[in-house]
Amino acid sequence: MPAMGEHHPAFEEYCECIFELLEDDVPVIQARIADRLQVSRPAVSEMIRRLETEGLITTSGLIGLTEAGEQLAQRVVRRHRLAERFITDMLGLSWTVAHHEAGKWEHVMSDEVEQALDRVLGGPTTCPHGNPIPGSGYHAPATAALSAIPVGSTFTVSRITEELEFTPGLLEFLEESKIVPGRVGVLTAASPDGTVTLEIEGRHVGVGAFASGRILVLA
């Protein structure tokens, strides 16, 4: 059983999912939660009822988080992103491994371990993909979607939004292509559908419309 003040991992998963959808300005409806968590819509409907009963969400109009739900989500997201940073920075493992492992760590990490990770890592403000770590004092820079900048622009990758982390094979592609926060590139071509070509680290890489609209850059 969860300790006092803690919640069942399923509640944490759902609140985390809702938080991340809101973070990416995606309207939160049950179908999107089902797609993100890879569960059936009836299962989502049942969990939404339970979360509302627990006082963690609101369902008037779109689904949102209550203050209690927001606090729970931020705690889980913070632990997930600190774990990702530790797994990539300290253990040298890939983005994909970090994403999956952090999904386990976030539910079992104690306050002491969370604080130790933050200390060892030097108080990071973002995960390896550039998404903000709650409670870190992160200040968002002015960014634009990769698909929105003019051809010929030089850019610095700032953030790979959470939506892309759940697209099969995409994290591997972005990491292998060096489309990672801090890397500088040039947008060399763009098509009307949002597909772009960029040059980064001496390589020419094509990026489809779905990803180019969700990769945030400093231009």
Side-chain angles (χ1 to χ4, degrees):
M1 294 290 292
M4 184 67 69
E6 297 184 349
H7 292 273
H8 190 282
F11 287 9
E12 295 181 346
E13 287 280 357
Y14 274 76
C15 287
E16 177 185 26
C17 175
I18 294 166
F19 177 92
E20 290 173 347
L21 289 170
L22 291 169
E23 184 179 53
D24 289 343
D25 295 322
V26 177
V28 184
I29 58 177
Q30 291 191 22
R32 289 201 173 93
I33 296 173
D35 290 343
R36 173 68 66 90
L37 296 180
Q38 298 282 286
V39 296
S40 70
R41 295 193 184 185
V44 171
S45 295
E46 174 60 26
M47 184 58 73
I48 290 298
R49 284 193 291 270
R50 293 178 63 190
L51 290 168
E52 190 170 26
T53 299
E54 289 288 323
L56 296 172
I57 66 167
T58 59
T59 58
S60 54
L62 297 173
I63 297 167
L65 294 167
T66 64
E67 183 178 350
E70 178 81 13
Q71 290 175 353
L72 174 60
Q74 287 199 19
R75 187 183 73 190
V76 177
V77 171
R78 175 176 171 79
R79 291 175 177 182
H80 182 101
R81 294 178 181 175
L82 282 171
E84 284 185 318
R85 181 61 78 181
F86 179 80
I87 291 166
T88 56
D89 293 9
M90 306 298 285
L91 303 184
L93 298 176
S94 72
W95 274 6
T96 303
V97 171
H99 178 68
H100 289 298
E101 287 296 317
K104 305 171 189 175
W105 292 23
E106 67 190 28
H107 300 299
V108 297
M109 189 183 297
S110 66
D111 291 344
E112 291 79 7
V113 170
E114 175 192 320
Q115 292 162 11
L117 280 180
D118 186 59
R119 183 179 67 253
V120 167
L121 293 166
T125 58
T126 69
C127 75
H129 320 113
N131 292 304
I133 295 173
S136 67
Y138 173 82
H139 296 288
T143 58
L146 182 61
S147 60
I149 66 174
V151 172
S153 298
T154 298
F155 63 85
T156 302
V157 179
S158 177
R159 181 179 166 205
I160 310 299
T161 60
E162 284 285 346
E163 199 167 0
L164 298 184
E165 296 188 35
F166 291 88
T167 304
L170 195 50
L171 280 183
E172 294 96 325
F173 168 76
L174 294 173
E175 189 171 25
E176 290 168 2
S177 301
K178 309 303 181 186
I179 305 174
V180 301
R183 295 296 176 98
V184 177
V186 178
L187 190 73
T188 58
S191 63
D193 70 356
T195 299
V196 300
T197 302
L198 52 93
E199 182 178 356
I200 194 163
E201 297 287 307
R203 299 173 57 189
H204 289 274
V205 182
V207 179
F210 179 80
S212 70
R214 292 165 176 80
I215 296 170
L216 303 183
V217 300
L218 304 169

